[in-house]
Amino acid sequence: MPTERSDSDSRKLLRRLRDVLGNKAKGQDRLDQITKLIAGSLGTEVCSIYLFRDPETLELCATEGLKKAAVHQTRMKLGEGLVGRVARNGLPINTADAPSEKGFRYMPETGEELFSAFLGVPIQRVGEKLGVLVVQSKAARAYSEDEIYALEVVAMVLAEMTELGAFAGDGNGMGALHKQPVLFRGETGQEGAAEGRVWLHEPRVVVTNPVADDPLTEIDRIREAVGVLRVSVDDLLSAESLDKDQKQVLEAYRMFAHSRGWLRRMEEDIAQGLSAEAAVEKEQSATRARLEQVPDAYLRERLHDLDDLSNRLLRILTGQGKDTGAEMPDNPVLVARNIGPGELLEYGRKLKGVVLEEGSVGSHAAIVARALAIPMVIHAERITNEALNGNPILVDGDQGVVHLRPEDTVARSFRDKVAMQAKAMERYASLRDLPATTKDGVTISLHMNAGLMADLPSLIGSGAEGVGLFRTELQFLVRNQMPRREELAQLYSRVMEAAQGRPVAFRTLDIGSDKVLPYMKPQDEPNPAMGWRAIRVGLDKPGVLRMQLQALIRASGERPLSIMFPFISEQAEFLEARGHVLREMHREKSLGHVVPKALEIGAMLETPSLAYAPDAFFQLADFISIGGNDLKQFFFAADRENERVRKRYDTLNASFLTFLQFIVARCAASGTKLSFCGEDAGRPIEALAFAAIGMRNLSMRPASIGPVKALLRRVNLAEARAVIDKARSEGAETVRPALMDWLATQGE
Ligand code: PEP
Ligand code: MG
């Protein structure tokens, strides 16, 4: 391999590669021609192409210089041997003495023991790992920086060719990209099943011309596109409504957009023969590979910015904007790396499902998906690389599984499952107007949780008696600035109207922990779940709390009003918060406004401490609502957002149930109304256990009301209580098995 390669050598090679793409040869022939071309042009004894057979396995697909018999026989796992390591890390490996390199795996069928020097570079396209390109030679020498660079440029062209399907089919076992079924195992963001077609939030940019004839034209194109990009970022920055944080992010964007190094690297790629688009992608791939290696969260964010800018630049170059002209299918399943709650709300209920590569159960997008009852799977890694607009897709939100381009058999059994669920829904619908009365005559009030105007139609549809928890923070989370009092008053008033006289418990703003308002300075807290959140923020910065209370009072007019405060940990907090309500009532009255005829002020019990508050607190509170999601995490000291520990402790753990029963007893002693509004209230077995230990009000997502009611109506509550008591007296850790065994003996 000559050490000095001129730009024109490189351009010549790329053009010949492009000619291979243009000829009518079959996939395997093309690969063979290409390895020969590269070896010849670079003057190296071996050139081999390894491509992914499946996401975990690489296969030697063509070689010049190694034994031909090894082609399609030699395979290695991702991370295995030098080739596997190049693929995993997305970074080149260059060594003069491959056999002594750490991780080297000897593959006798290839005859590679003859070759000492090894240079492998990833074939990747914007973070999508496609394979590895390797050159080897007998002489023990390290390849120069120039040679590595030249090979990377070639690999970029191969990546585009692979993406365009140049090597597929032809009985070589390499299926075309984006054609095979793929299963993604992620996590549940929102339960439910959906079948539909992929709708990419950010469609893939297709590059059809990786190689360019005229570098000068390409350099003009890239300079012009970068110019347009710079102006657009500057325009964004000059907008007046920006707050400090948004400005900071955009400043980082501007720094990258104006970075000389970035443009220079892309110009160098072009000089080697790449088109402007391929040059952007080459640098973007390098950024993504670096991104995966960086442990520092701040730096990763900045690299994300650069990634985002590259996408914008590609769109400018190709003219493929967000609006690619593609038509949204009738049954769209949104596929995205991540999405903000506002954007998700814009799509609204027309989405059948949502699949994200990132996100978390507690993310705002997940909260919105839950509020809209759209099945959602998060952490479906690499799905944006695999999915194409219009691909068939099945989303199993219960299992956190996604089938992309499913086989017929998979689709059929999935449909059976959905049909069974639909049948069950019909059965639940027939119970809508019946009470949740148990066989021994105890009636449990079932309410629903809500947070958006869009939830309200479910109130009538689900048969809920009212809204037991209205999470007001969603209105704050989906905006870019603090909503105004009048806006909120209008919204609350519409909520009350839609409730048609049914009670609605408005929970005041519950922010902090994972719910960060885009326009509030983020707190750098070591443990935000136990930090400055919910009522703590409300009491320390009472301006927003007071504004919200005024909006609620004005929205009510004369109608009854029910307000509850989140995360009350001690009596004093409740007294102070309640004082704000009374003062605002007084103020509104003195301004001559009408005020609610009936007012209820309640507290959410989300920390164990409140269960031991003085009697006076229980007497003063008009009602108490158990926020089981938080209460459980603090009872067991197990983070509700941490998948590892979240499921470790059963809600039906005897200690937890006994603790809940203690709260029931305290409320009974003071005559305080009690309800439970955490997610567990919507799980039928849990709901039954809560009812059995004395709770009479449960609030849950609307879809859970049917299943919970159906179960309650078929059991005798006193018997269930006896089962629980017996299990506890026998020292059971959790009463679940006993309850399940007993339920199995009960009729339909
Ligand atoms: C809870 O903690 O159970 C609750 C209902 O509040 P959130 O889930 O909004 O924290
Ligand atoms: Mg809570």
Side-chain angles (χ1 to χ4, degrees):
M1 195 159 170
T3 39
E4 284 297 313
R5 282 181 52 79
S6 70
D7 288 0
S8 71
D9 286 342
S10 169
R11 284 206 295 278
K12 234 183 268 160
L13 172 60
L14 295 202
R15 253 181 255 141
R16 289 170 74 188
L17 290 178
R18 186 185 55 190
D19 293 344
V20 173
L21 183 62
N23 69 29
K24 291 243 173 330
K26 300 217 167 120
Q28 186 62 51
D29 294 343
R30 281 186 175 146
L31 282 168
D32 293 341
Q33 288 173 29
I34 286 172
T35 46
K36 206 179 187 128
L37 267 175
I38 298 173
S41 166
L42 302 187
T44 178
E45 287 140 310
V46 174
C47 172
S48 310
I49 294 175
Y50 297 79
L51 294 176
F52 276 98
R53 189 172 183 89
D54 59 56
E56 288 297 314
T57 320
L58 285 150
E59 180 172 306
L60 175 65
C61 286
T63 185
E64 178 68 21
L66 296 184
K67 289 187 187 155
K68 295 277 187 207
V71 171
H72 296 306
Q73 301 304 317
T74 294
R75 291 185 189 160
M76 65 276 299
K77 291 274 166 222
L78 186 63
E80 188 188 356
L82 299 185
V83 172
R85 255 173 55 203
V86 172
R88 188 186 57 201
N89 300 337
L91 297 170
I93 291 184
N94 175 19
T95 170
D97 184 8
S100 64
E101 189 73 15
K102 195 166 143 252
F104 174 79
R105 209 195 97 190
Y106 172 53
M107 292 189 257
E109 72 277 13
T110 60
E112 68 178 339
E113 67 276 14
L114 299 173
F115 305 100
S116 179
F118 173 103
L119 168 60
V121 299
I123 302 174
Q124 60 188 356
R125 182 182 179 266
V126 199
E128 182 180 11
K129 296 181 160 88
L130 299 163
V132 176
L133 173 63
V134 175
V135 290
Q136 291 171 279
S137 49
K138 283 186 186 148
R141 66 177 202 71
Y143 293 101
S144 70
E145 286 294 317
D146 280 355
E147 288 167 324
I148 298 172
Y149 180 56
L151 204 64
E152 283 179 330
V153 169
V154 171
M156 187 65 230
V157 175
L158 290 185
E160 298 294 358
M161 292 170 88
T162 314
E163 179 73 19
L164 292 171
F167 311 130
D170 181 25
N172 65 6
M174 306 310 294
L177 279 178
H178 313 302
K179 289 250 161 40
Q180 289 157 330
V182 192
L183 169 75
F184 296 90
R185 284 188 198 286
E187 284 159 35
T188 299
Q190 157 70 20
E191 285 94 355
E195 175 170 8
R197 300 233 163 221
V198 169
W199 180 252
L200 288 166
H201 181 50
E202 303 224 299
R204 300 164 71 81
V205 172
V206 183
V207 175
T208 47
N209 60 337
V211 179
D213 288 318
D214 178 7
L216 292 180
T217 312
E218 295 304 298
I219 285 182
D220 282 349
R221 287 183 65 222
I222 194 99
R223 285 186 183 163
E224 196 181 319
V226 168
V228 172
L229 180 75
R230 286 175 179 167
V231 170
S232 75
V233 174
D234 290 348
D235 281 354
L236 282 175
L237 251 172
S238 62
E240 275 169 16
S241 58
L242 294 179
D243 61 27
K244 208 172 107 225
D245 293 332
Q246 288 167 321
K247 263 212 175 96
Q248 247 173 21
V249 171
L250 284 172
E251 286 291 357
Y253 270 43
R254 177 154 71 180
M255 196 187 76
F256 283 126
H258 287 264
S259 146
R260 293 232 185 94
W262 187 39
L263 182 58
R264 196 194 60 238
R265 282 194 303 278
M266 292 190 288
E267 288 181 356
E268 282 166 7
D269 298 337
I270 290 172
Q272 296 283 319
L274 290 184
S275 66
E277 289 86 346
V280 177
E281 287 202 340
K282 181 173 175 297
E283 294 313 315
Q284 193 177 10
S285 295
T287 309
R288 286 258 181 117
R290 260 183 283 154
L291 200 100
E292 284 176 16
Q293 312 280 321
V294 173
D296 180 280
Y298 176 79
L299 264 181
R300 262 207 319 270
E301 268 310 302
R302 298 288 73 81
L303 286 172
H304 258 306
D305 293 345
L306 188 53
D307 193 57
D308 191 38
L309 274 189
S310 306
N311 282 333
R312 284 168 189 239
L313 191 54
L314 270 180
R315 294 211 168 87
I316 294 170
L317 276 168
T318 57
Q320 297 172 27
K322 264 203 174 172
D323 184 10
T324 53
E327 242 183 66
M328 189 187 267
D330 289 339
N331 43 4
V333 169
L334 187 92
V335 174
R337 225 155 96 203
N338 213 342
I339 187 166
E343 289 170 304
L344 193 52
L345 269 176
E346 260 173 48
Y347 284 109
R349 287 190 197 275
K350 64 177 167 249
L351 296 180
K352 293 282 169 270
V354 178
V355 184
L356 301 181
E357 286 188 358
E358 299 173 1
S360 77
V361 180
S363 70
H364 312 153
I367 293 172
V368 171
R370 230 167 284 153
L372 296 174
I374 301 173
M376 176 174 185
V377 171
I378 55 174
H379 295 179
E381 276 179 35
R382 301 185 61 255
I383 191 160
T384 58
N385 287 331
E386 272 291 347
L388 294 183
N389 264 342
N391 280 168
I393 185 168
L394 309 173
V395 182
D396 185 339
D398 302 328
Q399 306 293 325
V401 163
V402 177
H403 301 271
L404 182 66
R405 302 179 289 263
E407 311 259 17
D408 281 354
T409 46
V410 173
R412 267 200 301 275
S413 71
F414 185 84
R415 277 180 211 130
D416 287 349
K417 185 176 153 184
V418 173
M420 267 167 56
Q421 283 176 351
K423 260 217 186 98
M425 293 314 282
E426 266 173 36
R427 199 157 48 86
Y428 301 143
S430 69
L431 301 178
R432 197 189 65 177
D433 299 322
L434 300 175
T437 304
T438 62
K439 283 221 167 115
D440 49 344
V442 181
T443 300
I444 312 296
S445 288
L446 303 184
H447 290 71
M448 67 172 238
N449 295 344
L452 297 168
M453 198 50 218
D455 292 327
L456 270 297
S458 309
L459 182 54
I460 313 300
S462 66
E465 288 177 36
V467 178
L469 162 68
F470 190 89
R471 290 179 160 108
T472 60
E473 59 274 9
L474 290 192
Q475 269 66 47
F476 289 75
L477 283 171
V478 299
R479 281 181 167 75
N480 288 327
Q481 56 199 40
M482 185 75 78
R484 287 176 304 114
R485 183 180 60 194
E486 279 61 37
E487 276 176 86
L488 288 180
Q490 269 178 19
L491 176 100
Y492 299 151
S493 166
R494 277 172 37 226
V495 170
M496 289 180 207
E497 266 155 40
Q500 299 178 9
R502 293 173 178 82
V504 180
F506 288 94
R507 171 176 78 184
T508 60
L509 191 57
D510 181 8
I511 50 156
S513 190
D514 64 304
K515 298 177 205 157
V516 183
L517 297 185
Y519 40 87
M520 252 175 91
K521 191 162 172 281
Q523 302 295 314
D524 191 13
E525 294 181 299
N527 193 341
M530 296 195 198
W532 198 54
R533 54 175 293 200
I535 197 64
R536 299 170 183 176
V537 181
L539 295 178
D540 292 355
K541 298 250 177 241
V544 179
L545 179 65
R546 279 207 301 265
M547 182 272 280
Q548 198 184 15
L549 293 173
Q550 286 162 11
L552 282 167
I553 295 168
R554 292 200 181 168
S556 282
E558 287 195 326
R559 288 179 287 214
L561 177 61
S562 174
I563 297 174
M564 64 182 182
F565 294 109
F567 216 67
I568 298 285
S569 301
E570 57 174 21
Q571 172 176 243
E573 287 171 344
F574 182 66
L575 289 177
E576 197 179 337
R578 187 173 176 273
H580 280 298
V581 183
L582 300 182
R583 262 193 303 283
E584 291 312 321
M585 283 284 280
H586 182 72
R587 182 171 166 273
E588 289 295 303
K589 242 192 254 170
S590 61
L591 287 172
H593 296 151
V594 282
V595 293
K597 282 226 168 90
L599 175 68
E600 281 193 327
I601 307 174
M604 284 188 73
L605 196 157
E606 307 193 84
T607 59
S609 61
L610 196 65
Y612 301 94
D615 287 340
F617 160 73
F618 283 87
Q619 275 146 16
L620 194 63
D622 292 316
F623 64 95
I624 285 173
S625 188
I626 296 177
N629 306 335
D630 275 313
L631 184 62
K632 191 179 158 200
Q633 79 166 336
F634 295 117
F635 187 79
F636 289 111
D639 188 340
R640 63 191 261 189
E641 303 302 339
N642 181 338
E643 292 300 312
R644 216 181 203 162
V645 298
R646 189 173 69 84
K647 294 189 188 134
R648 197 177 173 105
Y649 305 99
D650 190 357
T651 306
L652 299 190
N653 174 294
S655 313
F656 190 51
L657 272 190
T658 304
F659 178 58
L660 293 178
Q661 206 176 318
F662 170 69
I663 301 169
V664 171
R666 288 216 68 186
C667 288
S670 55
T672 316
K673 209 163 71 182
L674 174 67
S675 72
F676 188 109
C677 67
E679 302 297 312
D680 286 321
R683 302 193 169 99
I685 312 286
E686 279 80 341
L688 167 62
F690 296 162
I693 60 164
M695 291 196 204
R696 296 293 173 261
N697 299 288
L698 302 174
S699 190
M700 59 200 72
R701 52 191 191 98
S704 297
I705 290 185
V708 167
K709 194 189 278 185
L711 180 64
L712 288 172
R713 285 177 61 85
R714 74 178 177 92
V715 295
N716 179 311
L717 211 53
E719 278 180 34
R721 171 62 182 265
V723 172
I724 291 174
D725 285 346
K726 181 161 177 285
R728 280 194 292 199
S729 70
E730 288 169 356
E733 190 84 73
T734 158
V735 306
R736 188 179 301 274
L739 212 47
M740 299 290 281
D741 287 350
W742 171 74
L743 268 177
T745 66
Q746 305 299 297
E748 273 302 299

